[in-house]
Amino acid sequence: MVSALQKYATLLRQNEFKATQPRVKILEVLDKSPQPLTASEIHEKVSTLDIDLATVYRTLNKLADAGVLNRVELGDEFSRFEYKRVANHHHHHIICDSCGKIVEINLCNLDAIASDIAKSTGFTNIQHQVVFRGCCERCALKVS
Amino acid sequence: MVSALQKYATLLRQNEFKATQPRVKILEVLDKSPQPLTASEIHEKVSTLDIDLATVYRTLNKLADAGVLNRVELGDEFSRFEYKRVANHHHHHIICDSCGKIVEINLCNLDAIASDIAKSTGFTNIQHQVVFRGCCERCALKVS
DNA sequence: GTATATGCAAATCTTTTGCACCCCT
DNA sequence: AGGGGTGCAAAAGATTTGCATATAC
């Protein structure tokens, strides 16, 4: 228990942040979540500590800027955040249009396309961001 | 001049909308724009007619739902809209991180990936949405 | 004439910010 | 002790909505 929280405190100090209770708790919640979470979802999950929503936002922004978290945009009005488990591990997500479930996708062959785009548009330093949407297995059963 | 506006009026009536002045003007602005526009950008461009921003939003949402416009999400806080020139013409966009310029991308080989994802995740009916970001030629010159 | 669309104002929702106080280090 | 971090409240910015009036058909 204590050692688990130490892990987050150490991670914070390594990135020149003070290891405060709100930050440790937020990291714990994100580490344990199987999918990226919105600020509001995180705020609910840490409600036992009465952490202010503004603190959640400030923490998420700072940790994402420092590279401790990934900021995930899925094309709706929310920014989501996920614990970065492997440094720079490149992946994408698929979100269920019906229930909002999000699953990680590890296939990606867009780098070849990027060089074609560079050639045709003159853009350089091309990054990409992909979101898949669909209907998850559970929701497919409900509908039919 | 009149015939050009007739084109939008006809398009509106074909989709069971009344051909009002605000709607015709909004369609004209989007048709003439080389890139997708935000509600606020459209509102500025139609400022000669004193169209309310709420009307712009309502028009954009209805026309996008009806399939007359494409709703474009580029991972920032704005929804953008583009005139649909060819029915269901599938494409993506690249946006310059420096000046915000948006260019259309017509390459897309993600359909093959979609079937792999279906196999590994159980999701069905998979759509995708891709945003490329980079530095456009003009901005690359400025920086160097 | 009637249903629909618009303008105006107010509300909603996510996210940010100012400021006084608190607590890591 | 000192400076960053937090809570609280208010603000900001995109988008939506209620309602009375205006307009297309």
Side-chain angles (χ1 to χ4, degrees):
Chain A
M1 189 78 174
V2 173
S3 63
L5 298 188
Q6 279 300 349
K7 164 180 162 191
Y8 306 119
T10 303
L11 179 61
L12 285 165
R13 294 198 191 94
Q14 281 172 346
N15 286 276
E16 300 177 350
F17 293 111
K18 287 188 183 173
T20 62
Q21 202 178 25
R23 288 175 176 170
V24 169
K25 186 69 185 170
I26 289 169
L27 279 177
E28 187 192 2
V29 163
L30 279 168
D31 191 12
K32 290 188 175 156
S33 171
Q35 59 177 45
L37 298 175
T38 65
S40 172
E41 288 168 339
I42 294 167
H43 185 234
E44 272 181 41
K45 286 178 192 291
V46 299
S47 57
T48 48
L49 292 188
D50 266 325
I51 300 173
D52 196 88
L53 183 56
T55 298
V56 174
Y57 274 106
R58 278 188 281 232
T59 298
L60 294 174
N61 282 331
K62 289 201 169 180
L63 293 181
D65 289 348
V68 176
L69 302 177
N70 287 326
R71 190 187 301 266
V72 179
E73 302 294 345
L74 298 183
D76 57 17
E77 70 263 48
F78 305 101
S79 286
R80 290 177 177 77
F81 296 84
E82 67 182 357
Y83 193 85
K84 196 182 279 186
R85 291 190 175 72
V86 181
N88 290 325
H89 166 58
H90 181 78
H91 66 273
H92 300 292
H93 299 89
I94 183 164
I95 178 167
C96 175
D97 282 322
S98 172
C99 71
K101 178 181 179 184
I102 299 166
V103 176
E104 197 168 309
I105 301 293
N106 286 298
L107 310 156
C108 179
N109 68 352
L110 286 180
D111 295 321
I113 297 188
S115 69
D116 289 342
I117 294 174
K119 213 171 294 174
S120 64
T121 66
F123 273 64
T124 48
N125 230 311
I126 297 177
Q127 308 296 313
H128 63 268
Q129 150 187 341
V130 185
V131 181
F132 296 92
R133 331 196 117 257
C135 181
C136 77
E137 233 163 342
R138 176 185 290 266
C139 286
L141 291 173
K142 281 185 208 155
V143 175
S144 61
Chain B
M1 189 77 174
V2 173
S3 63
L5 299 188
Q6 279 300 346
K7 164 182 162 189
Y8 307 119
T10 302
L11 179 61
L12 285 165
R13 295 197 190 95
Q14 280 171 347
N15 287 273
E16 299 176 352
F17 293 112
K18 286 188 184 176
T20 63
Q21 203 178 25
R23 288 175 175 169
V24 168
K25 186 69 184 171
I26 288 169
L27 279 177
E28 186 191 2
V29 163
L30 280 168
D31 191 12
K32 289 187 174 155
S33 171
Q35 60 178 44
L37 299 174
T38 65
S40 172
E41 288 168 338
I42 294 167
H43 184 233
E44 270 180 41
K45 287 178 191 290
V46 299
S47 57
T48 48
L49 291 188
D50 266 325
I51 300 173
D52 196 89
L53 184 55
T55 299
V56 174
Y57 275 107
R58 279 187 282 231
T59 298
L60 295 174
N61 283 332
K62 289 201 169 179
L63 293 182
D65 289 348
V68 176
L69 302 177
N70 287 325
R71 190 186 304 264
V72 178
E73 302 295 343
L74 298 182
D76 57 16
E77 70 262 47
F78 306 101
S79 286
R80 289 177 178 78
F81 296 84
E82 67 182 356
Y83 193 86
K84 196 182 278 186
R85 290 189 176 72
V86 180
N88 291 323
H89 167 58
H90 181 78
H91 66 273
H92 300 293
H93 299 88
I94 183 164
I95 178 167
C96 175
D97 283 322
S98 172
C99 71
K101 178 182 177 183
I102 300 165
V103 176
E104 196 168 312
I105 301 292
N106 287 299
L107 310 156
C108 178
N109 69 351
L110 286 179
D111 295 321
I113 297 187
S115 69
D116 290 342
I117 294 174
K119 212 172 293 172
S120 64
T121 65
F123 273 64
T124 48
N125 231 311
I126 297 177
Q127 308 297 312
H128 63 266
Q129 150 186 342
V130 184
V131 181
F132 296 92
R133 329 196 120 258
C135 182
C136 76
E137 233 164 340
R138 175 185 290 265
C139 286
L141 290 174
K142 281 185 208 155
V143 175
S144 61

